[in-house]
Short mmCIF file of all heavy atoms in Angstrom, two decimals:
data_model
loop_
_atom_site.label_atom_id
_atom_site.label_comp_id
_atom_site.label_asym_id
_atom_site.label_seq_id
_atom_site.Cartn_x
_atom_site.Cartn_y
_atom_site.Cartn_z
N LEU A 1 93.43 97.24 101.56
CA LEU A 1 94.52 97.38 100.60
C LEU A 1 95.90 97.22 101.26
O LEU A 1 96.73 96.48 100.74
CB LEU A 1 94.41 98.70 99.85
CG LEU A 1 95.48 98.96 98.79
CD1 LEU A 1 95.51 97.85 97.74
CD2 LEU A 1 95.24 100.32 98.13
N PRO A 2 96.18 97.87 102.40
CA PRO A 2 97.49 97.64 103.03
C PRO A 2 97.72 96.17 103.41
O PRO A 2 98.83 95.65 103.25
CB PRO A 2 97.46 98.53 104.28
CG PRO A 2 96.46 99.60 103.96
CD PRO A 2 95.42 98.92 103.10
N ALA A 3 96.68 95.49 103.86
CA ALA A 3 96.81 94.07 104.19
C ALA A 3 97.10 93.26 102.93
O ALA A 3 97.96 92.37 102.94
CB ALA A 3 95.53 93.57 104.87
N ALA A 4 96.39 93.55 101.85
CA ALA A 4 96.62 92.84 100.58
C ALA A 4 98.06 93.04 100.10
O ALA A 4 98.70 92.09 99.63
CB ALA A 4 95.63 93.32 99.52
N LYS A 5 98.56 94.24 100.22
CA LYS A 5 99.96 94.52 99.82
C LYS A 5 100.94 93.72 100.67
O LYS A 5 101.92 93.18 100.14
CB LYS A 5 100.24 96.01 99.91
CG LYS A 5 99.56 96.80 98.82
CD LYS A 5 99.88 98.28 98.91
CE LYS A 5 99.25 99.05 97.76
NZ LYS A 5 99.58 100.48 97.81
N LYS A 6 100.68 93.60 101.96
CA LYS A 6 101.54 92.82 102.85
C LYS A 6 101.47 91.33 102.50
O LYS A 6 102.49 90.65 102.45
CB LYS A 6 101.10 93.05 104.31
CG LYS A 6 101.81 92.21 105.34
CD LYS A 6 103.22 92.66 105.55
CE LYS A 6 103.84 91.91 106.74
NZ LYS A 6 105.28 91.80 106.61
N ILE A 7 100.28 90.85 102.23
CA ILE A 7 100.09 89.44 101.86
C ILE A 7 100.87 89.11 100.59
O ILE A 7 101.59 88.11 100.52
CB ILE A 7 98.59 89.12 101.70
CG1 ILE A 7 97.90 89.16 103.06
CG2 ILE A 7 98.36 87.78 101.00
CD1 ILE A 7 96.39 89.28 102.99
N VAL A 8 100.76 89.97 99.58
CA VAL A 8 101.45 89.73 98.30
C VAL A 8 102.96 89.88 98.48
O VAL A 8 103.74 89.06 97.98
CB VAL A 8 100.92 90.67 97.21
CG1 VAL A 8 101.77 90.57 95.95
CG2 VAL A 8 99.47 90.34 96.90
N SER A 9 103.39 90.89 99.20
CA SER A 9 104.82 91.10 99.44
C SER A 9 105.45 89.89 100.13
O SER A 9 106.52 89.41 99.72
CB SER A 9 105.01 92.36 100.29
OG SER A 9 106.34 92.49 100.69
N ASP A 10 104.79 89.38 101.15
CA ASP A 10 105.31 88.20 101.86
C ASP A 10 105.31 86.97 100.97
O ASP A 10 106.24 86.16 101.00
CB ASP A 10 104.51 87.95 103.14
CG ASP A 10 104.80 88.97 104.23
OD1 ASP A 10 105.82 89.70 104.11
OD2 ASP A 10 104.02 89.04 105.19
N ARG A 11 104.26 86.82 100.15
CA ARG A 11 104.21 85.67 99.23
C ARG A 11 105.35 85.73 98.23
O ARG A 11 106.04 84.74 98.00
CB ARG A 11 102.87 85.63 98.49
CG ARG A 11 102.78 84.48 97.48
CD ARG A 11 101.51 84.50 96.68
NE ARG A 11 101.30 85.69 95.90
CZ ARG A 11 101.92 85.96 94.74
NH1 ARG A 11 102.83 85.14 94.24
NH2 ARG A 11 101.63 87.07 94.08
N LEU A 12 105.59 86.91 97.66
CA LEU A 12 106.66 87.05 96.67
C LEU A 12 108.03 86.78 97.29
O LEU A 12 108.90 86.16 96.67
CB LEU A 12 106.62 88.44 96.04
CG LEU A 12 105.43 88.71 95.12
CD1 LEU A 12 105.38 90.18 94.72
CD2 LEU A 12 105.46 87.81 93.90
N ARG A 13 108.23 87.24 98.52
CA ARG A 13 109.50 87.00 99.21
C ARG A 13 109.70 85.50 99.44
O ARG A 13 110.78 84.97 99.23
CB ARG A 13 109.53 87.78 100.53
CG ARG A 13 110.88 87.76 101.20
CD ARG A 13 111.05 88.69 102.40
NE ARG A 13 109.86 88.94 103.21
CZ ARG A 13 109.14 90.05 103.15
NH1 ARG A 13 109.46 91.02 102.32
NH2 ARG A 13 108.08 90.21 103.94
N LEU A 14 108.64 84.81 99.83
CA LEU A 14 108.73 83.36 100.06
C LEU A 14 109.03 82.63 98.75
O LEU A 14 109.80 81.68 98.72
CB LEU A 14 107.45 82.83 100.68
CG LEU A 14 107.38 81.33 100.96
CD1 LEU A 14 108.42 80.95 102.02
CD2 LEU A 14 106.00 80.93 101.43
N GLN A 15 108.43 83.08 97.65
CA GLN A 15 108.61 82.42 96.35
C GLN A 15 110.00 82.65 95.77
O GLN A 15 110.42 81.90 94.88
CB GLN A 15 107.56 82.92 95.35
CG GLN A 15 106.20 82.35 95.62
CD GLN A 15 105.18 82.86 94.63
OE1 GLN A 15 104.24 83.52 95.03
NE2 GLN A 15 105.37 82.60 93.35
N ASP A 16 110.69 83.67 96.20
CA ASP A 16 112.06 83.94 95.75
C ASP A 16 112.16 84.01 94.22
O ASP A 16 113.00 83.36 93.62
CB ASP A 16 113.01 82.89 96.32
CG ASP A 16 114.46 83.29 96.22
OD1 ASP A 16 114.76 84.50 96.19
OD2 ASP A 16 115.31 82.37 96.16
N HIS A 17 111.25 84.75 93.59
CA HIS A 17 111.24 85.01 92.14
C HIS A 17 110.94 83.77 91.29
O HIS A 17 111.30 83.72 90.12
CB HIS A 17 112.55 85.66 91.68
CG HIS A 17 112.88 86.91 92.42
ND1 HIS A 17 112.17 88.07 92.26
CD2 HIS A 17 113.81 87.17 93.35
CE1 HIS A 17 112.66 89.00 93.05
NE2 HIS A 17 113.66 88.48 93.73
N ILE A 18 110.30 82.79 91.88
CA ILE A 18 109.94 81.58 91.15
C ILE A 18 108.42 81.56 90.99
O ILE A 18 107.67 81.67 91.97
CB ILE A 18 110.40 80.30 91.88
CG1 ILE A 18 111.94 80.30 91.95
CG2 ILE A 18 109.89 79.05 91.20
CD1 ILE A 18 112.50 79.23 92.86
N SER A 19 107.94 81.43 89.76
CA SER A 19 106.51 81.39 89.47
C SER A 19 105.94 80.04 89.90
O SER A 19 106.51 78.99 89.57
CB SER A 19 106.29 81.62 87.98
OG SER A 19 104.92 81.65 87.69
N LEU A 20 104.82 80.07 90.62
CA LEU A 20 104.21 78.85 91.14
C LEU A 20 102.70 78.90 91.04
O LEU A 20 102.11 79.98 91.04
CB LEU A 20 104.54 78.70 92.64
CG LEU A 20 105.99 78.49 93.04
CD1 LEU A 20 106.15 78.66 94.54
CD2 LEU A 20 106.47 77.12 92.60
N PRO A 21 102.03 77.75 90.98
CA PRO A 21 100.59 77.73 91.17
C PRO A 21 100.30 77.99 92.65
O PRO A 21 101.09 77.60 93.52
CB PRO A 21 100.18 76.31 90.76
CG PRO A 21 101.42 75.52 90.69
CD PRO A 21 102.58 76.43 90.66
N VAL A 22 99.18 78.67 92.93
CA VAL A 22 98.88 79.08 94.30
C VAL A 22 97.48 78.63 94.70
O VAL A 22 96.50 78.89 93.99
CB VAL A 22 99.01 80.61 94.45
CG1 VAL A 22 98.63 81.05 95.86
CG2 VAL A 22 100.42 81.07 94.11
N LEU A 23 97.40 77.97 95.85
CA LEU A 23 96.14 77.62 96.46
C LEU A 23 95.87 78.65 97.56
O LEU A 23 96.70 78.85 98.44
CB LEU A 23 96.21 76.22 97.08
CG LEU A 23 94.93 75.73 97.74
CD1 LEU A 23 94.75 74.24 97.47
CD2 LEU A 23 94.93 75.99 99.22
N CYS A 24 94.74 79.34 97.47
CA CYS A 24 94.33 80.32 98.49
C CYS A 24 93.12 79.78 99.21
O CYS A 24 92.03 79.73 98.64
CB CYS A 24 93.98 81.66 97.85
SG CYS A 24 95.38 82.55 97.22
N ASN A 25 93.30 79.38 100.45
CA ASN A 25 92.19 78.88 101.24
C ASN A 25 91.62 80.03 102.06
O ASN A 25 92.26 80.51 102.99
CB ASN A 25 92.63 77.73 102.13
CG ASN A 25 91.46 77.03 102.77
OD1 ASN A 25 90.52 77.67 103.24
ND2 ASN A 25 91.51 75.71 102.79
#
């Protein structure tokens, strides 16, 4: 769970409040 929260937090910061399609490999 802490790793998942970090992954999502970093993704949201990179996206800068812009909704995008996401490829998760």
Side-chain angles (χ1 to χ4, degrees):
L1 181 57
K5 288 181 177 182
K6 175 73 172 153
I7 290 163
V8 172
S9 172
D10 287 345
R11 178 184 60 77
L12 291 171
R13 189 171 31 258
L14 179 65
Q15 285 180 242
D16 196 26
H17 305 290
I18 297 170
S19 183
L20 295 168
V22 177
L23 180 142
C24 289
N25 190 317

